[in-house]
Amino acid sequence: MDSGTRNDRYRETMRSLHSGQMDIKRAAQWNSNIHYHHLILDALPPNAQTALDVGTGNGLLAAELHQRVPAVIGLDPDAEALESAHGEDHDVTWIHDDVLTYPLPLASFDVVTSIATIHHLPNLDQTFSRFAELAAPGGMVAVVGLAR
């Protein structure tokens, strides 16, 4: 990322903070992944009831999803990250495990999201197949990735 892009994102964050669209806690947690949250949130199916955030990390996206979707699971193999995520929203179900092996019910999520995670998984084809299996018929899979 060049310095111009970083400066633009910083200015955008500061505008949001000063306009009241973002609180101080959120601004302090800002990272480049958060920049993509609005793309996923804006694309949510209007009647989504269930969501799975794969590689939830600090749980910010899962918590935002939960503001619009009643039942949200945040899944991550990093126990420390999940401990932090729990503080974002106590009503999200936080699962410490691997999306490829954890026995999640198939075809059960209206929304499956993943930001900056798929490059950590061993097989891209297997990953996308798994995400598709977890999405309910007509559901949405939203991925922002860094994989080649």
Side-chain angles (χ1 to χ4, degrees):
M1 178 184 325
D2 65 27
S3 63
T5 303
R6 272 194 305 273
N7 290 337
D8 290 343
R9 288 183 179 161
Y10 173 77
R11 282 192 289 278
E12 180 183 324
T13 300
M14 290 299 105
R15 272 194 298 277
S16 295
L17 178 61
H18 293 295
S19 71
Q21 294 174 333
M22 181 185 298
D23 64 22
I24 290 177
K25 177 184 176 191
R26 176 79 167 169
Q29 294 172 322
W30 192 89
N31 61 52
S32 59
N33 296 340
I34 292 171
H35 174 74
Y36 298 101
H37 287 192
H38 73 92
L39 296 173
I40 291 172
L41 295 169
D42 291 347
L44 287 176
N47 296 319
Q49 297 296 304
T50 56
L52 171 67
D53 184 31
V54 177
T56 196
N58 58 15
L60 296 175
L61 179 58
E64 285 183 297
L65 285 166
H66 192 234
Q67 292 174 12
R68 300 182 187 189
V69 179
V72 176
I73 292 175
L75 185 134
D76 201 287
D78 183 334
E80 255 183 64
L82 280 178
E83 187 175 316
S84 171
H86 190 271
E88 291 301 321
D89 187 329
H90 295 288
D91 293 324
V92 168
T93 300
W94 304 106
I95 297 175
H96 173 228
D97 217 307
D98 181 337
V99 69
L100 298 177
T101 58
Y102 188 78
L104 291 159
L106 299 182
S108 60
F109 297 98
D110 298 319
V111 178
V112 176
T113 63
S114 180
I115 295 182
T117 298
I118 61 173
H119 63 281
H120 295 292
L121 298 170
N123 182 302
L124 195 55
D125 290 335
Q126 181 185 17
T127 297
F128 280 122
S129 292
R130 177 70 169 157
F131 288 3
E133 289 172 351
L134 293 169
M140 176 181 109
V141 175
V143 176
V144 176
L146 303 172
R148 40 186 169 115

